[in-house]
Structures are given as C-alpha cells and as structure tokens.
Amino acid sequence: MAIKKRDSRAVASTAVAGDEDAVARKADEFGKGGYAPEVVEAPLDPNAPIGPQGILFRINDYQKQLLKESADADRRSQQKLLESIIWPELERRKAERNQ
C-alpha cells in the first residue's frame, strides 16, 4: 500500500482572506505566551496522600552500611530513620528561609 502525500497547494488554497487576521491574532498570542496554561501554586500540604512515586537517593557502600547499622541501633527501619532526619531538617531550613 503506497503512502499518499498531501498536496501543499490544496492546503494553501483552503485559506480564506478573512482567516489571515485570525491567524495573525493566534500568532501574536503564541508569541506573548498565550498558549501556556495558567499555573496556580497550591500550598504544600504535609498531610497530602503519598503517591506511588519514589525518590532515588544515591549512596555508596559505606553510607549504606552506616544507614543499616544506625537503623539497627535505633531498632527501626531505614526508611523511618531517614524520614526522622530529613523532614525535620527540611522544615527547619524552610522556616529559616521564610523569616
């Protein structure tokens, strides 16, 4: 089955003289950023449900062993240990920035 190419002359002939103004307006809006969706920033909600996404956190073998030993010493999971360290620190830094 052969692929039929579109005739460029047929596309150009469909334009009507009144459409030139509409095309110019759309081009002007595009140049001004009128095509971009309006972004509304929502406040951060610490109680928002956590989705299935994960965060990659690269560590070397020494850091992996240190985390494992620290979690064993605290008798909790590595995830809980990291959360107990990271979130309070990030909240403290945010509070410092907002002062």
Side-chain angles (χ1 to χ4, degrees):
M1 184 165 113
I3 299 174
K4 295 181 181 179
K5 294 186 178 180
R6 191 181 332 172
D7 186 14
S8 62
R9 288 175 280 155
V11 173
S13 65
T14 59
V16 181
D19 287 344
E20 292 173 0
D21 293 333
V23 171
R25 282 193 306 275
K26 286 183 181 180
D28 189 41
E29 288 177 16
F30 183 84
K32 291 179 181 175
Y35 60 91
E38 190 172 317
V39 177
V40 178
E41 286 197 32
L44 296 177
D45 181 13
N47 298 320
I50 299 173
Q53 76 279 1
I55 297 175
L56 296 178
F57 193 77
R58 295 181 184 167
I59 57 175
N60 60 30
D61 290 336
Y62 169 75
Q63 292 167 331
K64 193 182 298 184
Q65 187 64 30
L66 180 64
L67 177 62
K68 184 178 185 303
E69 289 174 4
S70 298
D72 288 342
D74 285 358
R75 304 180 89 190
R76 54 184 163 172
S77 70
Q78 295 176 12
Q79 179 73 31
K80 294 275 186 191
L81 177 64
L82 287 174
E83 287 176 353
S84 70
I85 297 169
I86 292 172
W87 298 126
E89 177 63 17
L90 291 177
E91 289 172 355
R92 183 189 63 79
R93 288 182 183 187
K94 182 180 179 183
E96 285 180 0
R97 281 193 309 267
N98 292 336
Q99 288 181 355

